Amino acid sequence: MISLFACFPESIASFSPEFTVNTWNLRSLSQVPCSLGHGFRFPRQLRRLRTILTCSDSSSQSWNVPVLSSSEVIDRLKQARKGQQQFLAMYSSVVDGITTDPAAMVLPLDDHMVHRGHGVFDTAMIINGYLYELDQHLDRILRSASMAKIPLPFDRETIKRILIQTVSVSGCRDGSLRYWLSAGPGDFLLSPSQCLKPTLYAIVIKTNLAINPTGVKVVTSSIPIKPPEFATVKSVNYLPNVLSQMEAEANGAYAGIWVSEDGFIAEGPNMNVAFVVNGGKELVMPRFDNVLSGCTAKRTLTLVEQLLSKGMLKSVKVMDVTVEDGKKADEMMLIGSGVLIRPVIQWDEEFIGDGKEGPIAKALLDLLLEDMRSGPPSVRVLIPY
């Protein structure tokens, strides 16, 4: 049980002796007599009030919660962020500026994205001083914002310029740029009608490119998949994705695979999937109609043409794929900006193909890495440091 107490540094005049102790239960304050006879009033001394939350349990612990000045808050934020050097720069349209101090990389609590999930986001990789597929990711977040009915705080070119400048200020040559569009701060109501204006946030994170061709296990996710009308929006509401990932990890797997109500394979929690079938000669990818249109997956469909020209594959299809067909595939792989191309060697209790990493997944990973490091200007934007 939790009780609220008022704590005073000294006795307060006009209160009866039994209440001039240092700590009183506020539930008893209504019984405190007042010398003027007009009911209970807080005297001037109560300006020095401090509140204490006391838990009436076996430990009888008490916590003093300090009231901090703005400078004290900043000092504590700096201490809390000490050693977190991976956050290199952040832009916020709330202050209309860029900061390189991790302690200042904060969002308003009343931002509609924070307390209602009314926001969208996207990510672009930073590879050797270039932003990979920035335009493609930017187009997607603008589509997501339109579907989420979030007005743009700036036009497309201004947003792009801000993102590039944020990376430039960070000095990061290898990492990731994550950015959000939100309905903005205003109040804590359900409707965004009182939000002051939409907001743009962006942060540069120093990371190493996750190149790991080792095969992994996946499981069929039991977490309900997002409705089709929301699955194609890259919103900040990732609770189903988080629960799916936690379920997979609890079962010793790398990721969970969502299956639609009609039995077709959908996607992973933050990646698309693809299969090699028909004796290793055909690449098949589930339709993007009811799943997130992955930029890396779509780029892979372009790069795979090189495998067709070499005779490693005979055809490529985007079509409905059943779980039964997927588990019988010669190869299975996860595709996304966070995993690149990651082979899957086991789904639930069944091995995929011979239970080893396949040649097509490796070839696609090599093509993707080459494209990220030396691809055409259409997929690589140079950062002016």
Side-chain angles (χ1 to χ4, degrees):
M1 179 175 123
I2 297 177
S3 302
L4 186 64
F5 286 79
C7 182
F8 306 95
E10 58 190 34
S11 300
I12 297 177
S14 79
F15 282 8
S16 58
E18 64 268 26
F19 286 100
T20 57
V21 292
N22 285 342
T23 304
W24 302 332
N25 191 328
L26 288 181
R27 293 180 179 176
S28 302
L29 286 179
S30 60
Q31 302 171 9
V32 176
C34 180
S35 59
L36 298 178
H38 297 301
F40 178 77
R41 291 183 181 176
F42 284 102
R44 221 173 257 185
Q45 292 95 323
L46 286 188
R47 293 176 184 173
R48 298 192 299 272
L49 175 91
R50 293 180 301 155
T51 57
I52 299 179
L53 272 178
T54 300
C55 296
S56 301
D57 56 16
S58 58
S59 62
S60 299
Q61 290 180 315
S62 298
W63 292 272
N64 288 326
V65 181
V67 178
L68 305 175
S69 66
S70 58
S71 60
E72 289 173 324
V73 169
I74 293 173
D75 288 342
R76 293 198 176 201
L77 284 173
K78 287 181 180 293
Q79 187 62 32
R81 287 293 193 179
K82 188 176 182 180
Q84 295 185 339
Q85 301 300 319
Q86 70 270 34
F87 304 121
L88 303 181
M90 176 187 174
Y91 169 83
S92 168
S93 63
V94 175
V95 299
D96 191 23
I98 300 170
T99 180
T100 57
D101 184 354
M105 298 177 186
V106 296
L107 275 66
L109 195 60
D110 63 340
D111 192 296
H112 226 239
M113 179 175 71
V114 176
H115 66 89
R116 295 297 179 187
H118 194 184
V120 295
F121 80 100
D122 222 303
T123 305
M125 297 296 294
I126 306 166
I127 308 295
N128 196 26
Y130 287 81
L131 274 163
Y132 184 67
E133 288 201 300
L134 175 62
D135 286 301
Q136 291 79 358
H137 285 276
L138 187 53
D139 288 340
R140 185 171 65 179
I141 195 176
L142 297 184
R143 289 196 302 270
S144 294
S146 176
M147 296 175 69
K149 298 184 178 180
I150 298 174
L152 298 182
F154 313 106
D155 60 47
R156 184 189 187 281
E157 287 308 307
T158 300
I159 293 174
K160 181 177 179 179
R161 175 181 56 79
I162 290 171
L163 297 180
I164 293 174
Q165 185 180 354
T166 304
V167 178
S168 178
V169 170
S170 76
C172 180
R173 300 188 64 84
D174 291 285
S176 63
L177 169 69
R178 180 163 295 198
Y179 42 99
W180 297 260
L181 288 169
S182 165
D187 55 32
F188 290 92
L189 300 180
L190 188 62
S191 168
S193 60
Q194 299 304 310
C195 290
L196 302 177
K197 58 182 179 180
T199 50
L200 169 68
Y201 304 105
I203 190 168
V204 179
I205 309 168
K206 183 179 181 180
T207 58
N208 294 321
L209 189 60
I211 305 172
N212 194 336
T214 304
V216 296
K217 173 187 176 181
V218 297
V219 293
T220 303
S221 180
S222 67
I223 306 300
I225 191 173
K226 294 179 182 179
E229 60 270 24
F230 296 113
T232 55
V233 179
K234 197 170 178 62
S235 76
V236 297
N237 183 5
Y238 257 48
L239 182 58
N241 310 62
V242 171
L243 294 177
S244 177
Q245 184 65 28
M246 291 176 67
E247 178 186 53
E249 292 175 357
N251 286 279
Y254 183 78
I257 302 297
W258 270 317
V259 178
S260 65
E261 292 184 354
D262 49 12
F264 294 119
I265 298 168
E267 59 185 337
N270 63 343
M271 70 282 286
N272 293 105
V273 295
F275 303 88
V276 179
V277 298
N278 294 336
K281 293 300 181 180
E282 183 175 70
L283 182 73
V284 175
M285 197 175 292
R287 300 181 189 275
F288 296 123
D289 298 353
N290 298 322
V291 301
L292 187 67
S293 178
C295 293
T296 305
K298 293 171 71 175
R299 183 61 181 167
T300 300
L301 289 174
T302 299
L303 296 175
V304 77
E305 296 292 332
Q306 299 180 46
L307 301 187
L308 292 172
S309 63
K310 295 177 180 179
M312 293 185 67
L313 288 172
K314 290 184 177 180
S315 64
V316 177
K317 293 181 180 179
V318 177
M319 56 182 286
D320 291 328
V321 182
T322 65
V323 174
E324 181 181 7
D325 289 339
K327 290 185 175 182
K328 291 180 180 178
D330 301 294
E331 291 185 48
M332 177 179 178
M333 63 198 80
L334 306 174
I335 304 177
S337 58
V339 297
L340 302 184
I341 308 289
R342 192 73 185 265
V344 175
I345 59 175
Q346 184 179 347
W347 186 351
D348 292 332
E349 303 305 318
E350 301 176 49
F351 287 101
I352 303 297
D354 59 4
K356 299 179 181 179
E357 298 85 358
I360 301 301
K362 183 181 183 306
L364 286 175
L365 176 59
D366 291 340
L367 288 174
L368 184 60
L369 290 173
E370 181 183 354
D371 194 56
M372 297 174 92
R373 291 166 178 157
S374 58
S378 60
V379 296
R380 298 171 74 238
V381 175
L382 178 65
I383 305 300
Y385 294 102

